[in-house]
Amino acid sequence: MTRADGNRIDVMLLNDCSRSALQALGFTADEGDTLTLPVADDAAKAIVFIRLRDLGVAFSAGREWCPADVFEHFRDGGLLQGAYFRVAWRTPQQFTVTTA
């Protein structure tokens, strides 16, 4: 997941394996390999986060208010619970995935 601030969630596909599962959640193609889902509020966003986490989607870490930060904020606030995959990019081709 590349973006989760504001009123939408963006997921960038690295391959097409998850495209149909994401589309079943309501994601639509935005541009290229990015799928987008509008969300009404934090409660709706947290529900989508749970479903994405259960699909094995990694939440991007990095700049302020990145998807990983939003996940942790929701977890701290009790909107969701449990671990998730966190991806941190070093270069466009080099990244690490950890469980957070």
Side-chain angles (χ1 to χ4, degrees), residues 57 69 72 75:
V57 171
D69 288 347
E72 292 176 15
R75 188 170 56 189

Side-chain angles (χ1 to χ4, degrees), residues 53-69:
R53 187 240 354 247
D54 292 349
L55 287 173
V57 171
F59 292 73
S60 181
R63 296 185 178 154
E64 58 189 66
W65 220 227
C66 61
D69 288 347

Side-chain angles (χ1 to χ4, degrees), residues 20-91:
S20 62
L22 292 169
Q23 288 173 327
L25 292 177
F27 282 85
T28 57
D30 186 22
E31 58 182 64
D33 292 330
T34 300
L35 299 178
T36 299
L37 177 71
V39 288
D41 55 27
D42 285 350
K45 191 182 295 184
I47 290 168
V48 175
F49 273 33
I50 292 166
R51 292 181 178 150
L52 291 171
R53 187 240 354 247
D54 292 349
L55 287 173
V57 171
F59 292 73
S60 181
R63 296 185 178 154
E64 58 189 66
W65 220 227
C66 61
D69 288 347
V70 176
F71 191 104
E72 292 176 15
H73 173 74
F74 287 165
R75 188 170 56 189
D76 291 345
L79 289 173
L80 50 77
Q81 58 186 343
Y84 67 98
F85 291 120
R86 180 177 189 207
V87 59
W89 298 90
R90 294 182 182 162
T91 69

